[in-house]
């Protein structure tokens, strides 16, 4: 039967992230009571006692069920004739399990493994003859969750005696908590590294290269994945190929970038190659730069719902063409793994993306709509008041492809659903009782109903939820003259997008008689406010964004004291991209004491100013290098300006 074939073949795929698209069809079109195993395996007896097992599983001789801990699992099959049964787990007999089905009411970690049911003809008395006619029915039970590594890079090229940093960050498709353990390879065995239990790992200085490490990731269900990393010596001529995109659909632009190391300043040339999926690599005409952009292919194999894109970049010495990064000219006989810089991406079948979401129709079941609000930790999807047929159903998946809920009839009317991540998949169909004889070709994603009908629902609103991950005062300390007002700010680091946070924002002065706060606004990763000096003294303004807090020290002076002269402690500063530095601006006021002039700091996009701290006779300006190049930091105190030339390396 086709439904059983599809469901069980899916769990065999190495690229299990594609489960979403076909799982939608299974959940929607075959509810309720979908029992793939029971319908797909048939045990038959011939007149002479011979037993045959019919697996409708694409030629596979076993079935795999994937369930979470705590769920119910049932292995069963249809039997024709008189048989005796005995179930085994991992080769050991299960006491009392002597029926054609075996049920685990609540799965424990120890239940995962291989199950076999021996089926013997009941009508044969001779033990030897019975054993000859006995057959095995094979099943497997494994966790539903899968672990996916986020970072594609697996090699680090370093100088001998340097350290290497590897990123083993992964996520669970079921949103389960993950444990990390880094291991080193001694040439024979993998050994745990004491204390290395984070997603990233920085090695000690490596004297002997190459060296291998791996990241072990485990979830509570017992799923374990490994990713191997290699530290190797930097070559004079080397290249690393990367892409920022990891999840792609068909007919999308994808850009590969080649980062070249040319220590000896050799005259080099570059050429990109692309695989045809059969181990053959061909030159891409005109692709001779540091980047290569191509369209992802249309997914033709509708049954498997994915294609693979493989490219690599050949970089060679013009004066010595035999000196290049890849070890061989592309040759399929060596296989992809032979090449140093093959970058592989999976392209998935595009779901039906519709905005706004339409009525659900079952003439083309199932339909999938994708709702996305980029940069948010989670979504709140509100549904309008809308009548649904009793046979209509909606399944909502979160961005990790986990089922949020299954709804029928009026259950979604005026309801708000919380969904993890910035993307939700909404699958819908007008029927839940499709039977096998009503399905023409499941591989195309289409089902034929006896009578197509139209059932509808409507999404009224989608809100993004993006709480603050941290806050930091831009103006960590300020001075204000009595009766005057200054603008202060707090930078907000949100979980997903620093420019978008939906947390409640509050600002409060510890001494309202000294300093008053007004006009508190949250705009794109920043909270701004006005602080007025009411009375000479000191106060602390506490800014709260959700559960995160930042403090601004405020000094209110009796009289205004503008800057007379400003001078930078350094005229030139170098900073590495991604690193922070600070410079002190010496300030001389027209009068003795703290200066109360407005302080601003500006520069081009090569650097980012992160904090201003005012104190007696100086302003400390902190900044971070963003990208390689030159910038001029201009710090203005009142009407006076100091300039610092900054080089980002």
């Amino acid at each position: 039967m086709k439904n059983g074939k599809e469901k069980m073949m899916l769990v065999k795929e190495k690229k299990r992230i594609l489960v979403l698209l076909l799982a939608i069809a299974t959940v929607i079109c075959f509810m309720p009571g979908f029992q793939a195993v029971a319908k797909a395996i048939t045990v038959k007896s011939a007149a002479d006692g011979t037993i045959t097992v019919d697996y409708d599983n694409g030629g596979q001789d076993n079935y795999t069920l994937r369930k979470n801990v705590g769920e119910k699992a049932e292995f069963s099959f249809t039997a024709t004739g008189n048989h005796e049964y005995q179930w085994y787990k991992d080769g050991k007999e299960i006491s009392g399990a002597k029926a054609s089905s075996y049920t685990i009411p609540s799965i424990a970690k120890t239940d995962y493994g291989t199950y076999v049911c021996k089926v013997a003809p009941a009508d044969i008395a001779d033990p030897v003859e019975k054993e000859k006619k006995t057959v095995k029915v094979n099943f497997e039970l494994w966790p539903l969750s899968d672990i996916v590594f986020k970072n594609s890079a697996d090699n680090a090229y370093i100088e001998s005696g340097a350290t290497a940093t590897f990123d083993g960050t992964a996520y669970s498709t079921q949103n389960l908590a993950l444990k990390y353990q880094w291991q080193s390879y001694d040439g024979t065995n993998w050994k745990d590294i004491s204390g290395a239990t984070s997603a990233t790992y920085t090695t000690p200085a490596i004297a002997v290269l190459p060296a291998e490490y791996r990241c072990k990731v485990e979830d509570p269900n017992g799923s374990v994945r490994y990713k191997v990393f290699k530290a190797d010596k930097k070559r004079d001529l080397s290249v690393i190929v990367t892409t920022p995109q990891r999840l792609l659909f068909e007919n999308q632009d994808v850009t590969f970038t080649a980062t070249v190391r040319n220590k000896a300043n050799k005259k080099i040339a570059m050429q990109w190659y692309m695989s045809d999926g059969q181990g053959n690599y061909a030159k891409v005409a005109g692709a001779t730069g540091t980047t290569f952009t191509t369209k992802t292919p249309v997914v033709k194999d509708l049954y498997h719902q994915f294609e693979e894109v493989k490219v690599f970049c050949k970089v060679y010495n013009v004066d010595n063409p035999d000196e290049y990064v890849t070890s061989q000219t592309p040759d399929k006989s060596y296989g992809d793994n032979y090449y140093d810089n093959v970058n592989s991406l999976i392209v998935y079948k595009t779901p039906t993306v519709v905005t706004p979401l339409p009525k659900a129709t079952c003439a083309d079941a199932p339909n999938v709509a994708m709702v996305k609000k980029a940069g948010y930790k989670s979504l709140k999807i509100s549904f309008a008041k809308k009548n649904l047929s009793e046979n209509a159903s909606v399944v909502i998946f979160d961005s990790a492809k986990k089922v949020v809920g299954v709804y029928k009839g009026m259950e979604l009317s005026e309801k708000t659903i919380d969904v993890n991540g910035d993307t939700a998949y909404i699958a819908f169909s007008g029927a839940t009782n499709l039977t096998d004889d009503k399905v023409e070709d499941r591989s195309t994603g289409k089902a034929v109903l006896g009578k197509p009908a139209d059932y509808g629902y409507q999404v009224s609103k989608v809100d993004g939820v993006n709480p603050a991950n941290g806050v930091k005062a831009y103006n960590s300390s300020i001075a204000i003259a009595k009766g005057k007002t200054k603008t202060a700010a707090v930078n907000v680091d949100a979980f997903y997008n620093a420019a978008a946070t939906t947390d409640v924002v509050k600002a409060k002065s510890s001494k309202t008689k000294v300093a008053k706060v007004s006009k508190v606004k949250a705009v794109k990763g920043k909270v701004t406010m006005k602080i007025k000096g009411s009375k000479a003294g000191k106060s602390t303004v506490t800014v709260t964004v959700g559960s995160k807090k930042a403090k601004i020290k405020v000094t209110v002076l009796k009289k205004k004291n503008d800057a007379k002269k400003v001078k930078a402690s350094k005229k030139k500063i170098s900073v590495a991209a991604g690193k922070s530095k600070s410079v002190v601006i010496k300030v001389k006021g027209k009068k003795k004491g703290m200066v109360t002039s407005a302080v601003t700091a500006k520069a081009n996009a090569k650097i980012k100013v992160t904090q201003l701290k005012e104190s007696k006779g100086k302003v400390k300006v902190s900044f971070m290098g963003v990208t390689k190049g030159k910038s001029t930091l201009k710090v203005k105190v009142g009407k006076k300006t100091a300039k610092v030339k900054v080089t980002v390396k």
Side-chain angles (χ1 to χ4, degrees), residues 221-248:
N221 280 343
S223 283
V224 178
R225 294 291 182 272
Y226 297 91
K227 185 174 178 65
V228 177
F229 299 83
K230 184 178 181 181
D232 207 348
K233 187 176 181 179
K234 283 186 175 180
R235 290 166 287 185
D236 288 349
L237 184 60
S238 62
V239 62
I240 297 176
V241 177
T242 59
T243 174
Q245 299 158 277
R246 303 309 307 165
L247 178 61
L248 293 165

XYZ file of all heavy atoms in Angstrom, residues 221-248:
227
model
N 16.769 11.812 23.805
C 16.221 10.574 23.259
C 17.290 9.531 22.974
O 16.976 8.386 22.661
C 15.449 10.854 21.966
C 14.062 11.381 22.220
O 13.535 11.259 23.320
N 13.464 11.987 21.214
N 18.536 9.919 23.073
C 19.617 8.989 22.785
C 20.201 9.106 21.397
O 21.131 8.369 21.040
N 19.685 10.041 20.572
C 20.273 10.273 19.261
C 21.660 10.889 19.431
O 21.842 11.826 20.215
C 19.397 11.211 18.430
O 18.276 10.557 17.910
N 22.633 10.376 18.693
C 24.004 10.866 18.767
C 24.492 11.145 17.345
O 24.278 10.352 16.431
C 24.947 9.853 19.453
C 26.381 10.383 19.458
C 24.492 9.576 20.883
N 25.120 12.293 17.173
C 25.746 12.627 15.895
C 27.180 13.083 16.148
O 27.493 13.658 17.188
C 24.968 13.739 15.174
C 23.571 13.330 14.730
C 23.582 12.323 13.610
N 22.238 11.996 13.171
C 21.485 11.053 13.697
N 21.965 10.330 14.718
N 20.268 10.821 13.239
N 28.050 12.806 15.173
C 29.443 13.206 15.250
C 29.786 14.073 14.040
O 29.278 13.863 12.939
C 30.375 11.993 15.251
C 30.211 11.063 16.429
C 29.337 9.984 16.352
C 30.935 11.253 17.598
C 29.182 9.117 17.415
C 30.793 10.379 18.680
C 29.915 9.320 18.583
O 29.766 8.460 19.644
N 30.642 15.036 14.260
C 31.201 15.813 13.160
C 32.704 15.908 13.374
O 33.171 16.316 14.437
C 30.586 17.217 13.087
C 31.057 18.039 11.881
C 30.310 19.355 11.792
C 30.818 20.192 10.616
N 30.555 19.571 9.323
N 33.455 15.492 12.359
C 34.910 15.446 12.452
C 35.504 16.739 11.899
O 35.095 17.238 10.849
C 35.466 14.226 11.693
C 36.987 14.227 11.730
C 34.920 12.928 12.308
N 36.478 17.268 12.612
C 37.187 18.480 12.222
C 38.683 18.169 12.100
O 39.217 17.391 12.883
C 36.981 19.603 13.233
C 35.546 20.022 13.397
C 34.706 19.318 14.236
C 35.049 21.110 12.715
C 33.382 19.700 14.396
C 33.729 21.500 12.870
C 32.893 20.785 13.698
N 39.323 18.818 11.151
C 40.738 18.570 10.908
C 41.504 19.875 10.940
O 41.115 20.861 10.313
C 40.934 17.877 9.556
C 42.369 17.487 9.251
C 42.450 16.763 7.910
C 43.876 16.345 7.583
N 43.959 15.654 6.268
N 42.580 19.881 11.694
C 43.509 21.004 11.691
C 44.711 20.609 10.844
O 45.338 19.578 11.083
C 43.947 21.354 13.109
N 45.013 21.427 9.844
C 46.115 21.111 8.939
C 46.971 22.352 8.728
O 46.549 23.475 9.012
C 45.572 20.601 7.602
C 46.557 19.667 6.906
O 47.733 19.601 7.337
O 46.145 18.991 5.945
N 48.165 22.125 8.235
C 49.109 23.207 8.029
C 48.689 24.068 6.854
O 48.283 23.575 5.811
C 50.513 22.658 7.789
C 51.588 23.726 7.727
C 52.969 23.115 7.573
C 54.035 24.208 7.537
N 55.360 23.701 7.406
N 48.797 25.374 7.049
C 48.502 26.301 5.977
C 49.493 26.126 4.834
O 50.695 26.068 5.042
C 48.579 27.746 6.471
C 47.402 28.217 7.279
C 47.534 29.697 7.584
C 46.292 30.206 8.299
N 46.406 31.672 8.611
N 48.955 26.012 3.642
C 49.822 25.976 2.486
C 50.016 27.390 1.952
O 49.201 28.280 2.182
C 49.226 25.079 1.403
C 49.260 23.592 1.763
C 48.384 22.778 0.861
N 46.970 22.987 1.163
C 45.990 22.302 0.576
N 46.271 21.386 -0.304
N 44.739 22.553 0.894
N 51.097 27.598 1.239
C 51.324 28.904 0.639
C 50.174 29.296 -0.272
O 49.799 30.452 -0.363
C 52.640 28.912 -0.143
C 53.853 28.894 0.763
O 53.678 29.091 1.983
O 54.966 28.689 0.253
N 49.637 28.290 -0.945
C 48.499 28.505 -1.819
C 47.369 27.598 -1.362
O 47.469 26.373 -1.453
C 48.869 28.217 -3.275
C 47.786 28.494 -4.328
C 47.388 29.963 -4.289
C 48.294 28.117 -5.716
N 46.315 28.178 -0.841
C 45.195 27.388 -0.334
C 43.906 28.166 -0.507
O 43.908 29.377 -0.725
C 45.394 27.006 1.135
O 45.450 28.161 1.941
N 42.794 27.464 -0.387
C 41.488 28.081 -0.565
C 40.468 27.375 0.307
O 40.523 26.157 0.496
C 41.045 28.055 -2.047
C 40.905 26.626 -2.533
C 39.730 28.801 -2.251
N 39.541 28.138 0.847
C 38.404 27.597 1.579
C 37.139 28.120 0.917
O 36.983 29.324 0.712
C 38.440 28.008 3.064
C 39.683 27.428 3.745
C 37.183 27.518 3.787
C 39.857 27.870 5.181
N 36.232 27.218 0.569
C 34.985 27.575 -0.104
C 33.845 27.534 0.902
O 33.668 26.547 1.611
C 34.698 26.620 -1.282
C 33.355 26.954 -1.930
C 35.811 26.704 -2.316
N 33.072 28.606 0.972
C 31.969 28.701 1.921
C 30.743 29.301 1.248
O 30.829 29.909 0.183
C 32.340 29.583 3.129
O 32.695 30.895 2.663
C 33.496 28.995 3.908
N 29.608 29.138 1.915
C 28.371 29.819 1.548
C 27.611 30.105 2.825
O 27.577 29.273 3.734
C 27.493 28.991 0.592
O 26.236 29.673 0.395
C 27.225 27.603 1.126
N 26.980 31.282 2.933
C 26.226 31.599 4.147
C 24.877 30.900 4.219
O 24.236 30.871 5.247
C 26.037 33.119 4.047
C 26.045 33.399 2.571
C 27.040 32.416 2.006
N 24.448 30.322 3.110
C 23.135 29.704 3.053
C 23.241 28.209 3.276
O 24.078 27.538 2.694
C 22.478 29.978 1.696
C 22.258 31.466 1.416
C 22.115 31.739 -0.069
O 23.093 31.867 -0.789
N 20.876 31.826 -0.513
N 22.352 27.662 4.122
C 22.384 26.238 4.389
C 21.073 25.538 4.017
O 21.071 24.379 3.689
C 22.688 25.967 5.862
C 23.980 26.581 6.352
C 25.179 26.267 5.468
N 25.386 24.860 5.204
C 26.189 24.396 4.229
N 26.779 25.203 3.429
N 26.352 23.097 4.076
N 19.936 26.245 4.102
C 18.644 25.664 3.742
C 18.155 26.351 2.486
O 17.867 27.539 2.481
C 17.629 25.840 4.873
C 16.219 25.309 4.616
C 16.264 23.810 4.361
C 15.299 25.603 5.781
N 18.081 25.622 1.396
C 17.742 26.194 0.106
C 16.576 25.469 -0.537
O 16.411 24.256 -0.373
C 18.949 26.117 -0.836
C 20.157 26.981 -0.473
C 21.366 26.526 -1.254
C 19.874 28.436 -0.749
